[in-house]
Amino acid sequence: HEEEEEDEEEEEEEERRDKKEKKSKKDSKREESEEEEEEDTRKDKKDKKSKKDKKRDEEEDKEWRKEGKKDKKDRKGGSSSSSSRRREEERLPPPKLKPRQLGGDTRVKATYDAQASQDSQAKSPPCLVTVTLTNTGDCQLGPVTLSVAPSMNVRVSGAIPEVASLKQGESATIRVELQVASVNKPQKVKCTLKYEAVGEGAPAAPQQLPCELMLPCSAFLVPRPINPGEFDSLLANGACTHASSAVVEGTGRPFKHSLALLRLLLNLGVVEGMDGSASLYAVSIQGHHVLVLAKAKGGGTVSVDLRCSDEALSTQLCNEVSGLPLFVAQ
């Protein structure tokens, strides 16, 4: 009888062990299954996010191309008010940009303009700086010279000419060629303006005026001509992935004038122009592509979307666009 009881206890113990093992295996399987489900969920989310990002990029590129081609149809036979507005716009004088200030004193004033050379044969086109010197005093000046201190990023190419004589109220120009190593940030160049004055009240010693030449990134762009198909190809093939945007606040100017100012500021060429929008293009002296879409937003406000093959250059150019009103000649 005791043996039978022991056998029964052993059988019960075995059953408990079997149940425990089965439960353990079941729990383990369930945990594995849950982990696999979580991993699959994570993968699905990652794939969906990747597809979503890709789709968003494709949609942005399509939107860009769509915006550039929108309103392509010429609006002939428009309303009389539209024709009247166009006639008024044609009577307005073309807009201009103010020259940049270099330095000076009570006797001489120096301003400058900077643009990249458009010599397509040059391996490394220089930045051409035209300095305008104006005699604002009562004495005759001469000679007037400008010296430029070379740096790691900027050096002078060739000799800088001098102005032999500058009478009261007269202006003269000096052209300086600069080789630039880096085009994706503005370059500061230290200069010295030196002159001698002749006449009553003139200083006995030659005068030296330290000044600073600021070269914006737009001074390193060249407006190379391309057709709309080439523009679209550059946009579609991933050559210009860095995007920036800016808004030129409303000034009451017609879009045609705002577009002209934008071209002057960034040295851009028009690829295709429509009523209220335009696509523009330039290339840097180091081969960076710059694609621009300008669109009228009403009240003289213009939105500017820019794509570039260099991120820093894209940002700097949009900064210049934001400051456009500061350089417009009244």
Side-chain angles (χ1 to χ4, degrees):
H1 185 69
E2 287 178 1
E3 284 178 2
E4 285 178 4
E5 285 181 354
E6 284 177 3
D7 289 340
E8 285 177 4
E9 285 176 2
E10 283 179 5
E11 284 178 6
E12 286 176 2
E13 184 64 31
E14 280 180 15
E15 282 178 12
R16 280 195 296 272
R17 276 200 300 269
D18 288 343
K19 283 179 182 178
K20 196 174 182 181
E21 283 177 9
K22 283 178 183 176
K23 187 180 179 183
S24 177
K25 285 179 181 177
K26 194 175 180 181
D27 290 343
S28 178
K29 234 178 201 182
R30 189 175 67 249
E31 286 174 4
E32 285 178 8
S33 177
E34 286 174 356
E35 285 177 3
E36 284 176 3
E37 283 179 10
E38 285 178 9
E39 183 64 28
D40 289 341
T41 303
R42 278 196 297 270
K43 281 181 180 176
D44 288 344
K45 282 181 180 178
K46 193 175 180 182
D47 290 343
K48 281 178 184 176
K49 189 178 179 183
S50 177
K51 285 176 183 176
K52 193 177 178 183
D53 290 343
K54 190 176 179 183
K55 192 176 179 182
R56 189 182 67 242
D57 291 342
E58 286 174 356
E59 284 174 357
E60 282 180 2
D61 286 344
K62 281 180 184 175
E63 189 63 30
W64 243 68
R65 288 195 288 273
K66 211 185 281 178
E67 288 288 342
K69 291 176 180 177
K70 199 176 179 182
D71 296 329
K72 227 177 191 182
K73 191 178 178 182
D74 187 23
R75 299 183 181 182
K76 289 182 180 177
S79 64
S80 58
S81 62
S82 178
S83 300
S84 175
R85 189 191 72 233
R86 279 197 289 270
R87 282 196 297 271
E88 285 177 15
E89 289 175 3
E90 285 169 5
R91 284 198 292 268
L92 291 171
K96 293 180 181 179
L97 294 178
K98 293 186 287 190
R100 295 173 183 267
Q101 300 297 315
L102 179 60
D105 60 10
T106 56
R107 298 181 190 87
V108 66
K109 176 185 175 184
T111 60
Y112 71 97
D113 289 299
Q115 281 193 338
S117 168
Q118 296 194 32
D119 181 4
S120 58
Q121 303 302 316
K123 187 178 179 182
S124 179
C127 178
L128 306 178
V129 181
T130 303
V131 179
T132 301
L133 303 168
T134 303
N135 185 336
T136 56
D138 299 326
C139 304
Q140 181 172 320
L141 307 179
V144 184
T145 61
L146 180 71
S147 59
V148 176
S151 66
M152 287 180 64
N153 286 320
V154 182
R155 62 182 177 82
V156 181
S157 177
I160 302 175
E162 68 173 36
V163 176
S165 177
L166 202 58
K167 294 178 182 178
Q168 183 182 358
E170 280 187 345
S171 295
T173 58
I174 294 175
R175 181 167 152 162
V176 184
E177 289 192 8
L178 300 174
Q179 291 290 342
V180 181
S182 176
V183 302
N184 60 7
K185 62 180 179 181
Q187 299 295 337
K188 290 181 181 179
V189 185
K190 291 187 177 180
C191 311
T192 302
L193 191 63
K194 185 178 178 180
Y195 69 86
E196 293 182 28
V198 180
E200 189 179 342
Q207 301 298 295
Q208 295 191 55
L209 307 175
C211 43
E212 193 173 70
L213 186 71
M214 174 66 79
L215 299 176
C217 290
S218 56
F220 313 135
L221 300 185
V222 179
R224 291 279 157 78
I226 63 169
N227 60 48
E230 291 170 317
F231 186 92
D232 288 344
S233 294
L234 285 170
L235 188 61
N237 67 14
C240 301
T241 56
H242 304 289
S244 296
S245 60
V247 173
V248 180
E249 294 299 333
T251 55
R253 291 186 189 85
F255 176 71
K256 183 174 73 172
H257 282 194
S258 296
L259 186 64
L261 289 169
L262 186 63
R263 289 179 62 194
L264 289 171
L265 181 75
L266 297 187
N267 298 317
L268 301 167
V270 174
V271 178
E272 195 172 20
M274 282 94 26
D275 188 5
S277 65
S279 53
L280 307 102
Y281 174 78
V283 62
S284 81
I285 55 177
Q286 293 182 347
H288 302 102
H289 298 290
V290 178
L291 310 176
V292 175
L293 183 65
K295 190 173 182 183
K297 291 293 184 182
T301 299
V302 177
S303 68
V304 178
D305 293 307
L306 191 146
R307 291 284 184 97
C308 185
S309 53
D310 183 273
E311 186 176 10
L313 182 58
S314 175
T315 303
Q316 291 294 341
L317 291 173
C318 269
N319 288 344
E320 288 188 49
V321 173
S322 297
L324 175 60
L326 299 174
F327 296 101
V328 178
Q330 299 300 322

